[in-house]
Amino acid sequence: MTYDPRPKNTGLLRAHRLRAAGAACVVLTAALLTGCGQDSGSTSTGTETSEAARAVPERTTSPSPSPSASLTKDQEKRKKLLASTKITFDKAVTTAEGAVAGSKVIELELKGPGKSDDDTDASASASASASASASASPSGASSSPSGSGASPSGASASPSASPAAKGPEWVAAVVAKDGTEHTVRIDAVSGKVLQSVEDPDQDAQEKTRTAERIAKATQTPQQAAKAATTKAKGTVTSLDLDDNDKNVLIWSVDVVTKDFNETTVDIDAASGSVTGEHVDDD
C-alpha cells in the first residue's frame, strides 16, 4: 500500500502572509502620519510663540517724551529766545553805549521778534509827530532844520523810521553826560544798531536827576551782571537801574538759568553786594 503525502495549501499561506504584511504597513503608515502631524503642530506653535514674543516689545515700547514736554509756556519762550540770540549781554552794552557818545546804559532788555516795546513805540510816535510838524511848517520843509534842530548830544531830532527786527533784539536805555536819555535798539543776531533815538519827553530837571543817579551807580552794568550770575548761574537777559523798597539804588538783573527759570537778583549799585533774589519758576 502506497502512502501519498497530503499536499500543502501554499496559496492560502501566502495570502495570509500578505494580509499580515498589509496590516503592518497600515499601522506603520498611521504612526508616521501621526508623528508628522505632531511635528507640524509643534513647528506651527513654536512659530506663533516666537512671533508673539517679537510683537510684545513693539506693542509696549513707547517713544520717550521730548525734553521740552515738561517745560512751561514761559520756559519754552525763554529757551527759544536764547537759542536764537547770538549777541551776549556785555556786547550789547558796549554797542549801545557806542551808539551815543559818552553815554552809559541804565536799562537793557532782550526781546523776541515782533514784541512791542513802549520806548520804541513812543520814539516812533515822536518821529511821526516831528515829521508832521515839519511838513506843516510855513516853509513846507519836510526835513529837520539845521543848526537849532540838532540835539545837545548830536543825535538827529527827527530820526527816520526804524527798521523792523526779523529776530530778537536788545532794547537799551542810555544816558548821555548831560542826562539826556536815548533808546537804542540792537539786532541780537548781527549786533547792528537798528535805531538810536532821543527821548523827547525830558525837561532840564529830569536830565539833572538822571545824571545824578548815574554818578551814584559806581558799579557798571558788567560788574552787576557778574555779581548776579555768581549768585544765580545762567544768562543775563535784562538789567535795570532802579530804587528798591528801601530807596537804595540797585541794579535789578534778570538771569535765565539752565532749567529756563528766571531769577531776578538785586545788586547794590554802589557796593556791588546782593540785596535780594526772586525766582520765577513759571
Side-chain angles (χ1 to χ4, degrees), residues 25 53 88 98 100 106 131 154 168 187 226 245:
C25 288
T88 58
V100 178
I106 60 170
S131 299
D187 189 307
K226 183 178 180 180
D245 296 337

Side-chain angles (χ1 to χ4, degrees), residues 48-214:
E48 292 175 358
T49 303
S50 177
E51 290 178 354
R54 288 196 301 269
V56 169
E58 295 176 2
R59 292 196 303 265
T60 58
T61 301
S62 59
S64 57
S66 60
S68 61
S70 59
L71 297 179
T72 65
K73 187 176 180 179
D74 287 341
Q75 289 171 330
E76 188 65 33
K77 286 182 179 179
R78 295 178 193 125
K79 179 181 179 181
K80 291 181 179 179
L81 182 59
L82 291 180
S84 60
T85 299
K86 306 301 180 184
I87 303 301
T88 58
F89 164 82
D90 53 340
K91 290 182 179 179
V93 170
T94 302
T95 302
E97 292 179 342
V100 178
S103 66
K104 292 184 179 181
V105 167
I106 60 170
E107 186 178 347
L108 182 68
E109 183 177 0
L110 179 63
K111 294 181 177 292
K115 185 176 180 181
S116 62
D117 180 76
D118 293 339
D119 292 337
T120 305
D121 293 343
S123 62
S125 299
S127 300
S129 300
S131 299
S133 299
S135 59
S137 62
S139 62
S142 58
S143 60
S144 59
S146 60
S148 60
S151 64
S153 61
S156 172
S158 56
S160 59
S162 60
K166 297 181 180 179
E169 62 180 80
W170 289 100
V171 179
V174 300
V175 177
K177 292 180 179 180
D178 64 350
T180 304
E181 186 173 328
H182 299 253
T183 297
V184 180
R185 294 171 51 234
I186 302 166
D187 189 307
V189 177
S190 67
K192 294 181 179 180
V193 175
L194 300 173
Q195 183 187 38
S196 177
V197 59
E198 179 183 328
D199 183 357
D201 300 325
Q202 298 176 91
D203 55 28
Q205 191 175 8
E206 275 186 305
K207 293 179 181 180
T208 300
R209 285 199 301 264
T210 303
E212 290 174 352
R213 286 167 62 84
I214 287 291

Side-chain angles (χ1 to χ4, degrees), residues 10-11 40 44 57-58 77 90 92 102 114 145 147 179 189 211 222 234 257 281-282:
T10 57
S40 176
S44 176
E58 295 176 2
K77 286 182 179 179
D90 53 340
V189 177
Q222 293 89 337
T257 50
D281 54 2
D282 291 338

